[in-house]
């Protein structure tokens, strides 16, 4: 029989035939671990006593897998794994490069600290409602987004983390939470739908969804497809996910309502996934269009950071003030994206890594301040310095880091953003970054002066103080603060990762060659 | 065929956005449902529309002799339908719960998380 239609057709032209090396399974481990443990905890959700141990094991494994993956990627270059063995661009690719693995590792660190903190914040009812299941599935979504090499798959992971974040947001079912969740849910759904529209049109124009394949096809399109429209749609959709002005209002409306550990996680992880998607899609897939949109992104960045911090300045509720500080930090990362130079992108990625750690720690600290002082209002917090000197020390370090003051982690990315802006003569962008730094210092300095230094509040505290704060409560905040101090004093290792990450998206040939070894699309 | 479908997609989007701009959560919900369908139809149209041809490859050939429909957009739409349906279900429950708890479906009056007349922080001590 002629070979053409025989069942023994040449499989090598369509499928990956050699088995995946054992070490390469690492690339799916950060997604598999949370899903498996999340499912297990769902089955045992009434055994709330066991949740603590199981979730510590899960998050320790997750952090280990992340760190091992980052180490392997730095040592051996990008790792690729294709689902169902269909050769890219047809199979769905999972791909770890320095950008994805670096962000995933910091996300793993933040999640590990958060799970240690959550034992105090999440009571038995919260556990029975499935806090740890939602948390683990959200981590699966975050890691999937960082590691996927397929743009439709990226949309799916966005939805996975979004639906889990809904569950976390309404945990407790208080009236404020329902109110915040309505705004968060509707606006985020519109954002992901916009993303889906862009993906649909992208597929219609190029007939592929694999990011490495797209990078080549978009570069070759040259006026054959509405590429600029697609880039703008992606910018709009991801800017909304990242909470950039003027589509940021869902964030300050909802981030202060859930349990404080949930706010801490959202502030550390979710907006950064939006920033990651912006970097990956705009810099790697649409470099020419990003250049043309640069001025728009730069103004959006300037407005996001300045108006964000002005919002924080006007809040007397410290949780809401910190929500606005998160928005303002997004502006700095967007400024790096707008500049688009190697230094600018390095700064954006470094700021994202710093901000994941620092904002999570600040929210945890705000939770401790509220418990110790019995209020979240600056009108009734006072005397915390005398009562909790150690908390004051942590607060000072974290506030310095967030404001971008030396010698902590916030200073380096801001220095680089300012330098990169001055390099291209965008003095107004550099001015906006510095002005934001000053206003952040004033905002957080006022929190410190009123809540810690002031001896007597003008109004009595409204909440009953919680359990006494022990070293176990401080441990996760100390862990994250130590990371902030370490990056501040010895930035080289993190800087190397950020720099390598910026280079992988700026010069994407390494990424493309790893996915499509033949070089170029099918 | 593509032209007619494109016009229909445009109409779907117009109606969905009009409903999403409403103040009332129930109308926004209807807008969300329509928006999901608009996107599905958009993906379907962007994946090219063909007459029905069975995707059968005769003996001795590697590819079908006539153009057949691309199954991938349909797979994408199936995924999107599942996701948008689950989101719609969640939002429906959330909106109903908000109506029960807050006593209104007017988003202008949902001010529990961001109360009106919030005071500025103290200027000194």
């Amino acid at each position: 029989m002629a070979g053409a239609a025989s069942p023994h057709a040449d499989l090598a032209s369509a499928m990956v035939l050699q088995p995946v090396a054992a070490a390469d399974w690492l690339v799916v481990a950060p997604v598999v671990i949370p899903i498996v443990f999340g499912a297990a905890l769902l089955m045992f959700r009434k055994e709330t006593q066991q949740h603590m141990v199981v979730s510590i094991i899960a998050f320790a494994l997750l952090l280990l897998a992340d760190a091992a993956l980052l180490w392997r990627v730095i040592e051996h270059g990008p790792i690729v794994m294709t689902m169902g063995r269909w050769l890219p661009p047809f199979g769905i690719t999972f791909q770890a490069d320095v950008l994805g693995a670096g962000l995933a590792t910091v996300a793993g660190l933040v999640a590990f600290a958060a799970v240690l903190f959550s034992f105090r914040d999440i009571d038995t009812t919260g556990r029975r409602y499935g806090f740890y299941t939602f948390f683990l599935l959200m981590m699966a979504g975050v890691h999937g987004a960082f590691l996927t090499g397929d743009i439709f798959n990226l949309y799916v992971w966005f939805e996975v983390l979004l639906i889990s974040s809904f569950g976390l947001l309404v945990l407790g079912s208080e009236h404020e939470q329902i109110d915040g969740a309505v705004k968060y849910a509707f606006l985020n759904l519109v954002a992901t739908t916009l993303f889906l529209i862009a993906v649909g049109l992208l597929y219609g124009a190029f007939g592929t969804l694999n990011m490495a394949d797209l990078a080549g096809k978009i570069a070759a399109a040259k006026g054959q497809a509405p590429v600029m429209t697609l880039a703008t749609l992606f910018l709009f959709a991801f800017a909304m996910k990242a909470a950039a002005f003027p589509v940021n209002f869902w964030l300050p409306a909802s981030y202060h309502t859930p349990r404080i550990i949930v706010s801490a996680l959202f502030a550390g992880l979710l907006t950064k996934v939006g920033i990651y998607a912006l970097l990956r899609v705009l810099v790697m897939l649409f470099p020419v269009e990003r250049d043309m949109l640069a001025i728009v992104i730069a103004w959006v960045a300037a407005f996001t950071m300045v108006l964000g911090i002005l919002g924080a300045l006007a809040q007397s509720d410290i949780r809401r003030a910190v929500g606005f500080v998160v928005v303002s930090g997004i502006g700095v990362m967007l400024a790096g994206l707008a500049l688009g130079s190697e230094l600018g992108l390095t700064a954006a990625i470094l700021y994202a890594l710093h901000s994941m750690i620092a904002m999570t720690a600040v929210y945890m600290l705000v939770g401790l301040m509220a418990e110790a002082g019995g209020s979240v209002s600056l009108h009734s917090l006072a005397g915390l310095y005398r009562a909790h000197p150690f908390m004051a020390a942590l607060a000072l370090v974290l506030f310095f880091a967030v404001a971008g003051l030396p010698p902590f982690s916030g200073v380096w990315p801001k220095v680089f953003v300012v330098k990169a802006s001055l390099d291209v003569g965008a003095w107004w962008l550099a001015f906006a970054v510095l002005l934001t730094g000053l206003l952040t210092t004033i905002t957080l300095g006022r929190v410190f002066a009123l809540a810690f230094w002031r001896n007597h509040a003008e109004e009595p505290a409204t909440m009953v103080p919680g359990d006494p704060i022990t070293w176990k409560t401080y441990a996760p905040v100390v862990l994250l603060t130590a990371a902030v101090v370490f990056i501040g004093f010895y930035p080289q290792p993190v800087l190397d990762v950020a720099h390598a990450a910026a280079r992988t998206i700026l010069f994407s040939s390494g990424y493309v060659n790893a996915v499509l070894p033949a070089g170029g699309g099918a | 065929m593509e032209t007619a479908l494109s016009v229909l997609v445009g109409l779907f989007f117009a109606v969905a956005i009009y409903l999403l701009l409403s103040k009332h959560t129930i109308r926004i919900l209807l807008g969300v449902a329509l928006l999901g369908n608009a996107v599905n139809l958009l993906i379907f149209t962007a994946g090219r529309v063909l007459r029905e041809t069975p995707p059968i490859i005769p003996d001795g050939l590697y590819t079908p002799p006539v153009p057949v429909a691309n199954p991938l957009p349909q797979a994408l739409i199936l995924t999107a339908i599942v996701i948008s349906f689950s989101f719609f279900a969640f939002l429906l429950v959330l909106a109903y719960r908000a109506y029960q708890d807050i006593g209104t479906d007017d988003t202008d009056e949902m001010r529990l998380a961001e109360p009106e007349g919030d005071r500025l922080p103290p200027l000194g001590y």
Side-chain angles (χ1 to χ4, degrees):
Chain A
M1 201 177 154
S6 82
H8 307 292
D10 180 19
L11 283 179
S13 60
M15 296 180 99
V16 183
L17 289 182
Q18 62 275 52
V20 179
D24 284 357
W25 285 94
L26 211 51
V27 70
V28 288
V31 178
V32 171
I33 293 169
I35 289 182
V36 168
F37 277 91
L41 281 180
L42 189 65
M43 286 187 275
F44 297 104
R45 74 189 175 94
K46 291 192 176 150
E47 314 280 325
T48 50
Q49 296 307 310
Q50 269 71 52
H51 286 194
M52 205 177 283
V53 184
V54 176
S55 42
I56 282 196
I57 296 171
F59 282 96
L61 279 177
L62 181 62
L63 180 56
L64 275 180
D66 281 334
L69 184 63
L70 179 63
W71 177 79
R72 242 189 99 77
V73 167
I74 290 173
E75 292 289 310
H76 303 283
I79 310 178
V80 181
M81 192 170 164
T82 303
M83 304 301 138
R85 299 195 304 166
W86 294 106
L87 276 177
F90 298 108
I92 290 175
T93 311
F94 249 59
Q95 218 257 15
D97 62 355
V98 186
L99 177 62
L103 285 166
T105 308
V106 175
L109 175 72
V110 165
F112 184 68
V115 79
L116 294 181
F117 193 85
S118 68
F119 300 135
R120 182 185 177 85
D121 207 32
I122 302 298
D123 55 9
T124 316
T125 319
R127 287 175 203 177
R128 209 163 39 231
Y129 273 117
F131 170 81
Y132 290 107
T133 302
F134 285 131
F135 183 8
L136 282 161
L137 289 183
M138 191 179 87
M139 289 316 291
V142 169
H143 280 90
F146 286 151
L147 297 177
T148 187
D150 183 283
I151 201 155
F152 189 79
N153 206 230
L154 180 65
Y155 161 76
V156 174
W157 291 118
F158 262 89
E159 300 289 31
V160 168
L161 73 88
L162 194 59
I163 197 100
S164 326
S165 75
F166 290 166
L168 289 174
L169 193 61
V170 295
L171 198 81
S173 307
E174 289 157 22
H175 291 187
E176 286 84 6
Q177 292 179 333
I178 301 286
D179 182 8
V182 167
K183 290 147 195 175
Y184 176 89
F186 277 112
L187 290 174
N188 270 290
L189 185 69
V190 171
T192 46
T193 308
L194 278 168
F195 177 22
L196 182 60
I197 293 170
V199 171
L201 292 174
L202 192 70
Y203 183 74
F206 295 103
T208 178
L209 294 164
N210 185 295
M211 291 204 243
D213 196 24
L214 277 171
K217 288 198 171 153
I218 292 172
K222 298 259 184 296
Q224 297 295 308
V227 184
M228 190 66 191
T229 315
L230 287 172
T232 315
L233 261 177
F234 277 116
L235 172 65
F236 185 34
F238 293 142
M240 202 160 170
K241 297 296 298 179
F245 179 82
V247 279
N248 60 347
F249 293 101
W250 56 270
L251 193 152
S254 59
Y255 267 29
H256 60 288
T257 56
R259 298 273 174 271
I260 201 75
I261 186 62
V262 176
S263 307
L265 277 171
F266 283 14
L269 302 177
L270 297 194
T271 46
K272 276 44 164 206
V273 180
I275 289 289
Y276 163 80
L278 272 176
L279 287 169
R280 176 70 83 201
V281 169
L282 284 187
V283 180
M284 201 177 90
L285 301 187
F286 296 99
V288 181
E289 292 70 28
R290 192 213 57 81
D291 259 5
M292 287 195 266
L293 286 169
I295 192 71
V296 179
I297 306 175
W299 279 105
V300 165
F303 275 112
T304 308
M305 55 184 131
V306 174
L307 293 178
I309 200 63
L310 285 177
L313 210 49
Q315 300 303 324
S316 55
D317 179 334
I318 47 177
R319 290 175 310 175
R320 291 181 66 184
V322 177
F324 279 102
V325 173
V326 173
V327 173
S328 146
I330 294 300
V332 182
M333 290 173 242
L334 288 177
L337 172 70
L339 294 163
S341 58
E342 205 171 318
L343 187 64
L345 293 175
T346 308
I349 295 163
L350 192 60
Y351 197 92
L353 298 173
H354 143 77
S355 165
M356 284 163 100
I357 302 173
M359 291 320 299
T360 309
V362 166
Y363 262 109
M364 289 176 179
L365 183 86
V366 162
L368 293 183
M369 283 167 68
E371 277 199 40
S375 172
V376 289
S377 165
L378 282 178
H379 292 282
S380 33
L381 275 172
L384 290 177
Y385 180 67
R386 182 172 291 170
H388 303 277
F390 186 61
M391 192 190 291
L394 288 175
L396 205 59
V397 172
L398 290 173
F399 288 177
F400 265 54
V402 170
L405 297 174
F408 304 110
S409 63
V411 66
W412 301 111
K414 283 207 174 170
V415 167
F416 295 142
V417 168
V418 170
K419 170 137 188 354
S421 329
L422 294 178
D423 280 349
V424 294
W427 55 268
W428 51 275
L429 195 56
F431 176 73
V433 174
L434 295 176
L435 179 68
T436 309
L438 176 68
L439 292 174
T440 316
T441 315
I442 294 173
T443 310
L444 295 174
R446 184 178 61 193
V447 171
F448 196 80
L450 291 175
F452 285 95
W453 274 343
R454 179 171 62 165
N455 276 330
H456 300 289
E458 41 188 280
E459 287 164 19
T462 45
M463 300 178 339
V464 189
D467 303 334
I469 296 171
T470 59
W471 67 268
K472 270 190 196 164
T473 321
Y474 278 128
V477 193
V478 171
L479 176 69
L480 293 179
T481 311
V484 162
V485 174
F486 175 78
I487 299 174
F489 280 96
Y490 187 54
Q492 200 59 46
V494 183
L495 183 60
D496 286 342
V497 168
H499 187 222
R503 289 184 65 88
T504 53
I505 47 171
L506 205 53
F507 311 105
S508 57
S509 58
Y511 181 96
V512 174
N513 287 339
V515 179
L516 308 165
Chain B
M1 192 63 189
E2 266 102 345
T3 322
L5 278 176
S6 308
V7 172
L8 190 63
V9 170
L11 267 176
F12 261 73
F13 273 119
V15 177
I17 290 169
Y18 176 75
L19 286 170
L20 282 175
L21 292 175
S22 165
K23 281 180 193 175
H24 296 278
T25 44
I26 194 73
R27 281 167 173 247
I28 302 178
L29 272 170
L30 291 174
V32 166
L34 275 179
L35 188 67
N37 287 328
V39 177
N40 292 338
L41 205 54
L42 175 117
I43 300 174
F44 183 68
T45 316
R48 309 295 186 276
V49 186
L50 293 172
R51 298 295 309 177
E52 56 278 61
T53 347
I56 294 171
I57 307 173
D59 261 356
L61 286 180
Y62 278 117
T63 50
V66 287
V68 295
N70 182 354
L72 196 76
Q74 299 168 29
L76 300 185
I77 293 170
L78 272 180
T79 316
I81 287 175
V82 173
I83 292 176
S84 63
F85 179 73
S86 65
F87 272 69
F88 184 70
F90 175 82
L91 288 177
L92 205 59
V93 174
L94 182 70
Y96 182 59
R97 185 66 194 267
Y99 177 68
Q100 281 184 321
D101 281 4
I102 308 172
T104 176
D105 79 330
D106 184 341
T107 42
D108 275 355
E109 284 166 29
M110 293 190 182
R111 296 300 299 264
L112 287 174
E114 296 171 290
E116 267 175 292
D118 216 12
R119 283 175 307 163
L120 289 174
L123 293 172
Y125 65 91

